[in-house]
Amino acid sequence: MRIKASIEKVPGGMMVVPLLLAATLNTVVPDLLRIGNFTQALFVDGANTLIALFLLCTGAQINLRNVGVSLGKGATLLATKWVVGAIFGLIAYMLAGDSGLWLGLAPIAIIAAMTNSNGGLYVALVGQYGDKTDRAAYSLLALNDGPFFTMVALSIFGAMGFVDGLFSFVSFIAVLLPIIVGMVLGNLDEEMRKFFDKGSAMLIPFFAFALGMGIDFGAIIEGGLSGIVLGLATVFLTGTAGFFIFKAFKWNPIAGAAEGSTAGNAVATPAAIAAASASFASHVDLATVQVAASTVTTAILLPLYIGFLVKRLEKKGVKVPDDYVNE
């Protein structure tokens, strides 16, 4: 049986499939895996521990040695994603009703989905339509792979009075420390970076399953459509913003648009945020499902949108990437 290959046919499958499977089990037979000991510790209660280990492995992949044009491109993409996601997250908080939702969307889901990008999808797209500086920019983009920038936005909103439960310094560091430890180890020793890289992929389905065991199927139905809307907004808002900003810098605009996605890893962000501040706990389940739906939506839609943009440039006589090579 080709289980792994079958799962990977689904966009973000290694995250989404275990998540939905666990949510189904939790809805139909919620006590099936709640039998104590190692079984419950791994499949039901292990999300925070597994996410912490995943963040450490991810932090080890952040390479601080890259400079030049790649650094400029990576920083620009990083800033664009964060600013667009933060602005719409702030609007959501300002317009949220009594339920704490805006248009059915949890503000924390908006920030998590729009500020985290699918690195694998970015690399695949710039591998086809970009040059080596576009591809090298990914090392800096790894910084938005996790809860860090979501926490920064929420901390700012808290200081502005829009969010309750502003993170304490200790809570902030407690979530970031695994990333920092991984980053230090990965930059001190290339072999450690390679070692932890194996863990990044392996841990995803396990913490996704544990997250799913905290979700009721009713929440999936409730969050599915709004999550698709969130995915559309992520592609067309962050992707289009990246396109025009890169164009203004006379860089390859397709590489700018290639950041218009939601990372599968972002599904873990609401739970990580709630671990740092309990005031966000009430929306964790819904936000997790909405981010998962956005992950799938952007994985399908973004390549189609990139293809549309490439054809539009070609009609204007612009060849991608030949006319934008910075090598």
Side-chain angles (χ1 to χ4, degrees):
M1 294 180 65
R2 297 175 57 83
I3 297 175
K4 183 173 181 292
S6 299
I7 292 176
E8 289 178 337
K9 289 180 180 178
V10 178
M14 294 304 288
M15 167 67 76
V16 174
V17 171
L19 181 85
L20 296 182
L21 174 61
T24 301
L25 289 176
N26 188 54
T27 302
V28 180
V29 281
D31 296 326
L32 180 66
L33 298 176
R34 289 179 169 86
I35 56 176
N37 219 310
F38 297 138
T39 297
Q40 184 167 335
L42 176 62
F43 295 115
V44 180
D45 302 328
N48 283 350
T49 301
L50 292 168
I51 290 171
L53 183 55
F54 169 79
L55 292 177
L56 189 149
C57 293
T58 299
Q61 308 314 308
I62 300 173
N63 193 333
L64 301 179
R65 300 185 181 93
N66 291 281
V67 293
V69 176
S70 296
L71 185 62
K73 289 182 175 182
T76 302
L77 285 172
L78 205 62
T80 300
K81 284 284 287 184
W82 185 83
V83 169
V84 174
I87 287 174
F88 279 90
L90 178 58
I91 292 173
Y93 274 112
M94 294 174 66
L95 300 179
D98 294 336
S99 65
L101 305 178
W102 179 54
L103 302 178
L105 286 166
I108 189 176
I110 294 174
I111 302 172
M114 296 185 78
T115 61
N116 285 263
S117 56
N118 187 327
L121 186 57
Y122 171 83
V123 170
L125 290 170
V126 298
Q128 182 176 357
Y129 298 113
D131 63 19
K132 71 179 183 181
T133 63
D134 297 320
R135 295 189 287 274
Y138 172 66
S139 60
L140 191 60
L141 297 180
L143 286 170
N144 77 6
D145 225 2
F148 177 74
F149 284 101
T150 303
M151 291 183 70
V152 170
L154 291 171
S155 295
I156 292 173
F157 297 164
M160 294 169 65
F162 289 109
V163 179
D164 294 327
L166 181 64
F167 301 104
S168 69
F169 179 75
V170 174
S171 295
F172 194 78
I173 294 300
V175 172
L176 295 184
L177 193 56
I179 299 176
I180 295 171
V181 171
M183 188 166 58
V184 170
L185 291 173
N187 280 275
L188 288 177
D189 185 356
E190 184 65 27
E191 292 300 316
M192 289 297 288
R193 174 178 286 126
K194 294 177 182 178
F195 173 73
F196 284 120
D197 187 37
K198 301 173 184 177
S200 297
M202 185 192 73
L203 289 167
I204 291 174
F206 290 98
F207 73 66
F209 191 93
L211 286 172
M213 286 302 295
I215 297 173
D216 187 271
F217 209 28
I220 296 177
I221 296 173
E222 181 182 356
L225 181 58
S226 54
I228 292 172
V229 172
L230 179 56
L232 292 171
T234 300
V235 170
F236 292 119
L237 294 176
T238 65
T240 302
F243 179 89
F244 284 109
I245 288 176
F246 261 49
K247 191 173 183 180
F249 280 107
K250 300 188 184 302
W251 292 334
N252 181 357
I254 297 303
E259 264 284 86
S261 62
T262 298
N265 307 340
V267 177
T269 295
I273 297 299
S277 178
S279 63
F280 298 99
S282 62
H283 289 149
V284 167
D285 291 353
L286 180 60
T288 298
V289 173
Q290 289 176 340
V291 174
S294 180
T295 298
V296 177
T297 302
T298 59
I300 295 171
L301 183 60
L302 183 60
L304 299 176
Y305 185 47
I306 292 294
F308 166 78
L309 293 174
V310 169
K311 289 182 179 179
R312 192 174 177 186
L313 288 173
E314 289 176 345
K315 287 182 179 179
K316 295 180 179 180
V318 178
K319 294 182 180 180
V320 179
D322 297 348
D323 291 346
Y324 292 101
V325 173
N326 297 115
E327 297 178 279

